[in-house]
């Protein structure tokens, strides 16, 4: 009993000292420390709070832990909501529209001869778009594709748009005859007719082309004189005649 009273006195002194340190008076009565040693131990392990009252460290720690847990949970909850991702703009820019078409061809190719084809390899077709850009493109349709006699408007079409350019077409004219080979028969009797067998006759035109002729003509058709005679092979087209001469011998019967 004597030791118990000493222990109580020491505990009271410690409580008073703690109260003084906290800036307030605290006078515990004897009954406060008359509890079990486990209660005293629990109380002595406590601490004074800011208001000077005695508070257990376990209770304070629990409150702090709960607050921290709540704050952490709140923070976790708010951070767990992902920001809405920005969707990429999949809108494709509108393609520029075709607003213009221009056809150009070298000057020398605008003067053609009847029957010639337009040299499309030298035709330059330029497309203009709504954004101001231009590009050379391949035509889709050309009408007419062959040169027609006179002045002709040629229509060029690309993606539904058309443009025109002018050409002047001259008539095809023969420029000269060329005879290859010799006639099989070169000696004739008076009154016989000329035989062109063995001759290959070609005509050359003003467009640079040539053709072998089957419908050429000659004169005289019949030999009326003896001696060395000239036979004229000729061909006429569009009012122009070209000819070539060969020599035969005519004898009296």
């Amino acid at each position: 009993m004597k030791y118990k009273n000493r222990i109580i006195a020491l505990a009271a002194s410690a409580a008073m000292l703690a109260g003084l340190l906290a800036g307030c008076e605290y006078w515990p009565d004897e009954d406060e420390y008359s509890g079990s040693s486990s209660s005293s131990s629990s109380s002595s392990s406590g601490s004074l709070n800011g208001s000077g009252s005695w508070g257990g460290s376990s209770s304070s720690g629990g409150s702090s832990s709960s607050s921290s847990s709540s704050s952490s949970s709140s923070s976790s909850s708010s951070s767990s909501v992902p920001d809405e991702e920005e969707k990429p703009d999949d809108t494709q820019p509108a393609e520029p529209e075709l607003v213009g078409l221009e056809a150009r061809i070298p000057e020398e190719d605008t003067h053609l001869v009847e029957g010639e084809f337009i040299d499309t390899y030298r035709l330059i077709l330029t497309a203009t778009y709504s954004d101001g850009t231009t590009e050379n493109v391949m035509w889709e349709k050309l009408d007419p594709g062959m040169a027609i006699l006179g002045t002709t408007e040629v229509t060029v079409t690309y993606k539904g748009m058309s443009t025109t350019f002018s050409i002047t077409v001259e008539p095809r004219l023969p420029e000269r005859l060329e005879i290859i080979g010799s006639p099989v028969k070169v000696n004739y009797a008076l009154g016989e007719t000329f035989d062109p067998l063995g001759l290959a006759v070609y005509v050359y035109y003003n467009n640079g082309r040539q053709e072998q002729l089957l419908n050429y003509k000659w004169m005289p058709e019949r030999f009326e004189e003896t001696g060395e005679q000239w036979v004229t092979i000729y061909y006429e087209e569009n009012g122009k005649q070209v000819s070539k001469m060969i020599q035969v011998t005519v004898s009296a019967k």
Side-chain angles (χ1 to χ4, degrees):
M1 185 68 181
K2 179 175 64 175
Y3 293 107
K4 181 179 179 182
N5 290 336
R6 287 182 180 179
I7 292 172
I8 293 172
L10 288 171
S13 298
M16 288 174 62
L17 182 59
L20 289 173
L21 291 173
C24 64
E25 294 184 357
Y26 182 73
W27 299 95
D29 56 16
E30 183 176 332
D31 294 336
E32 184 177 353
Y33 296 97
S34 62
S36 64
S37 61
S38 64
S39 175
S40 297
S41 175
S42 174
S43 295
S44 65
S45 66
S47 62
L48 288 171
N49 58 27
S51 62
S53 62
W54 194 266
S57 62
S58 61
S59 173
S60 175
S63 174
S64 174
S65 174
S66 174
S67 174
S68 174
S69 175
S70 174
S71 174
S72 175
S73 175
S74 174
S75 174
S76 174
S77 175
S78 64
S79 64
S80 65
V81 179
D83 294 336
E84 185 176 353
E85 295 184 1
E86 293 185 4
K87 295 182 179 180
D89 187 3
D90 295 333
T91 305
Q92 297 295 330
E95 291 188 2
E97 296 181 1
L98 178 65
V99 295
L101 204 61
E102 180 186 11
R104 302 188 307 278
I105 193 168
E107 179 66 23
E108 61 269 22
D109 292 329
T110 63
H111 299 279
L112 305 177
V113 175
E114 184 181 12
E116 282 188 314
F117 289 92
I118 298 169
D119 189 354
T120 55
Y121 289 102
R122 291 162 63 87
L123 171 63
I124 300 174
L125 187 63
T126 304
T128 302
Y129 297 94
S130 55
D131 61 355
T133 60
T134 60
E135 67 170 337
N136 292 338
V137 296
M138 176 62 71
W139 54 271
E140 296 174 348
K141 185 179 179 182
L142 192 70
D143 185 41
M146 179 179 286
I148 301 174
L149 190 61
T151 300
T152 304
E153 289 291 320
V154 180
T155 302
V156 189
T157 303
Y158 173 72
K159 287 189 176 180
M161 182 173 286
S162 298
T163 186
T164 62
F165 63 93
S166 297
I167 59 172
T168 301
V169 183
E170 301 174 355
R172 185 178 75 163
L173 299 174
E175 291 189 329
R176 62 187 178 89
L177 280 186
E178 188 75 27
I179 297 177
I180 299 176
S182 300
V184 173
K185 186 176 181 179
V186 294
N187 295 302
Y188 292 88
L190 193 63
E192 288 185 322
T193 57
F194 174 72
D195 184 358
L197 182 63
L199 297 181
V201 181
Y202 290 86
V203 61
Y204 289 81
Y205 290 100
N206 56 346
N207 59 6
R209 297 185 179 183
Q210 67 177 43
E211 294 179 8
Q212 184 175 2
L213 297 175
L214 298 177
N215 58 341
Y216 59 90
K217 298 179 180 180
W218 59 87
M219 56 188 241
E221 293 185 4
R222 184 181 299 273
F223 297 109
E224 302 291 344
E225 297 179 6
T226 60
E228 300 295 324
Q229 303 289 321
W230 287 97
V231 177
T232 302
I233 308 295
Y234 67 95
Y235 173 75
E236 185 173 344
E237 184 177 335
N238 290 326
K240 184 175 180 180
Q241 186 181 101
V242 289
S243 62
K244 195 81 171 179
M245 301 179 70
I246 58 174
Q247 191 175 49
V248 295
T249 302
V250 180
S251 304
K253 292 182 180 179

